[in-house]
Amino acid sequence: MYDYDMVVIGSGPSGRRAAVQCAKLGKAVLVVEKGRRVGGVSVHTGTIPSKTLRETVLNLSGWRERGFYGRSYRVKQDIAASDLMTRLQKTLDHEVEVLEHQFSRNLVRTANGEARMVSPHEVEITSAIGETRVVSAAFILIACGTRPFRPDYVPFDGTSVLDSDEIIELPKLPRSLAVIGAGVIGVEYATIFSALDVPVTLIEPRPTFLDFIDKELIDEFMHELRDRNVALRLGSKVTSIGKTEQGSIVTHLSDGRHVTTEMLLFAAGRVGATDRLNLEAAGIAVDHRGRISVDPVTLQTSIPHIYAAGDVIGFPSLASTSMEQGRVAACHALGMEPLAPPEFFPYGIYSVPEISTAGLTEEEVRTRGIPYEVGIARFRETSRGHIMGLNSGMMKMIFSTKTRRLLGVHILGEGATELIHIGQAVLNLKGGIDYFIQNTFNYPTLAEAYKIAGLDAWNRMTR
């Protein structure tokens, strides 16, 4: 009756996971990708490029060794944009090769072209040379992702005024950089360039940023940023952006101040890449940011046989959660009821230093009226921290004083996104403070911070 059991629009984390899940269940699946190569935003302009850029910067700049050798230490004295691009291209080629092989061995068919809905069960695919064909499917998954929000008042030019997709192809490193938007993307890029000793100004119209992160961690993070001369302009809206005769970018703020830099990165939000999908033909509506509403459990849209997953459905917009959403959507479409997801998932911000969190923040615990105690560990308290030359980094754990259960783990510092999984496991298994006090951790490791923080909280709870 249909050409395919499922057509997947987009080959990012949610699209690829859904396609492979369908294929492993013996179903015919087609992935439509408008980019030149599979992988979607995650591989080509988002998650993988930004994290590769970060790792390259930390390696070439000698950032991790500066605790021993001083702030002036560098592995490579003159770092150019070409140094960053070389490693980036190698990483992206490898990611695409792995994904293409995964599709090939699972018999997932792919079509290169732009998808457009023509009816609730039909998708028109237009190739780069203008050829079109229409395919039908019993189920459709919209996993088209997002693109940077580009307001009219920002004079984007692709060289000195860039969005977060363009920044990974920058022709040269700037002498100074202004970043508008202190969300996850803006903070990550601001700190990456700061690690290269580029003077950075981070601009955010709200008086606070990353409000979903525990406030104590953000206070510590802001102290670190200021210590390395990252200028924070919080609570001031951008009124206009201009360019001088010499080519400098001048950003005027509502408080009367202005920021003059060689380059500007606008990273204030993203919008769903749905405007060219003709979703009206399928009976699906989007919000003002182009996002699609779905059932949070099944990932179904308002049209039951059409699903949506990944960044296009909004928060949390993580590659990790997007993968799971794609799998859940495919399983539900094919009549398999997937297990309910765990209560807590880790959130990772690949800034310099990293931030990662799972569970409740202290503010959320207070709001719920839960009696609690906090344990803190500083990475410099661990032998591994001394070995690594760490002068900063902390772990904060929150426990219920009534049940002794772990309520939240919040980490700032080297390896935070790896360390968080121990806390995540204990959270989802409903473990408590006794686990951290009684168990042995490898020595020397940064994971010892769990025991230190646990003992710190236990000492306060037993007084």
Side-chain angles (χ1 to χ4, degrees), residues 141 294-301 306-309 313 325-326 328-329:
L141 173 67
V294 297
D295 182 299
V297 177
T298 66
L299 285 307
Q300 289 171 293
T301 66
I306 300 179
Y307 295 74
I313 68 173
Q325 288 167 358
V328 168

Side-chain angles (χ1 to χ4, degrees), residues 122-142:
E122 293 177 305
V123 178
E124 180 185 76
I125 304 169
T126 304
S127 70
I129 59 175
E131 295 179 345
T132 64
R133 64 178 172 124
V134 175
V135 296
S136 61
F139 300 98
I140 294 171
L141 173 67
I142 301 168

Side-chain angles (χ1 to χ4, degrees), residues 210-391:
L210 300 180
D211 293 332
F212 59 92
I213 302 293
D214 189 274
K215 188 177 184 299
E216 189 172 1
L217 246 69
I218 294 299
D219 288 343
E220 188 88 5
F221 183 61
M222 288 173 66
H223 173 75
E224 289 201 32
L225 294 186
R226 290 191 173 108
D227 187 53
R228 61 191 218 228
N229 297 320
V230 174
L232 300 175
R233 299 287 181 264
L234 306 178
S236 296
K237 293 182 179 180
V238 175
T239 56
S240 65
I241 301 171
K243 186 179 289 189
T244 66
E245 292 181 1
Q246 293 75 30
S248 297
I249 308 302
V250 183
T251 306
H252 297 275
L253 306 179
S254 58
D255 61 4
R257 306 175 80 176
H258 67 270
V259 179
T260 303
T261 53
E262 186 178 43
M263 189 176 288
L264 171 72
L265 167 63
F266 185 86
R270 297 179 68 88
V271 296
T274 53
D275 56 318
R276 295 175 62 86
L277 289 180
N278 192 34
L279 294 179
E280 299 86 354
I284 295 174
V286 297
D287 67 10
H288 68 289
R289 282 282 178 120
R291 293 170 298 203
I292 301 172
S293 295
V294 297
D295 182 299
V297 177
T298 66
L299 285 307
Q300 289 171 293
T301 66
S302 56
I303 308 302
H305 70 273
I306 300 179
Y307 295 74
D311 287 8
V312 75
I313 68 173
F315 186 85
S317 296
L318 298 169
S320 55
T321 53
S322 294
M323 289 180 187
E324 190 61 15
Q325 288 167 358
R327 187 188 69 81
V328 168
C331 287
H332 187 270
L334 300 178
M336 297 176 60
E337 289 298 330
L339 295 174
E343 184 178 359
F344 300 107
F345 63 88
Y347 209 114
I349 300 176
Y350 292 84
S351 50
V352 182
E354 291 179 7
I355 302 172
S356 198
T357 181
L360 303 179
T361 64
E362 187 171 354
E363 294 73 36
E364 289 172 329
V365 171
R366 284 179 176 176
T367 300
R368 298 186 185 193
I370 302 172
Y372 72 97
E373 192 50 83
V374 170
I376 300 287
R378 303 280 174 181
F379 285 180
R380 62 175 178 265
E381 297 177 283
T382 67
S383 296
R384 185 61 179 269
H386 293 157
I387 293 168
M388 296 170 67
L390 299 181
N391 296 319

Side-chain angles (χ1 to χ4, degrees), residues 37 41-57 59-60 80-97 164-171 189 192-193:
R37 306 170 79 185
V41 168
S42 173
V43 168
H44 297 288
T45 59
T47 304
I48 301 302
S50 62
K51 281 49 175 180
T52 304
L53 188 65
R54 177 187 186 275
E55 194 66 24
T56 308
V57 165
N59 287 342
L60 294 182
S82 57
D83 296 316
L84 308 181
M85 295 304 108
T86 299
R87 179 163 176 170
L88 179 61
Q89 198 54 56
K90 284 184 179 179
T91 303
L92 299 193
D93 287 345
H94 176 73
E95 284 286 318
V96 171
E97 183 181 326
S164 56
D165 281 1
E166 296 170 328
I167 194 73
I168 64 164
E169 297 179 352
L170 75 172
Y189 279 116
I192 288 170
F193 280 94

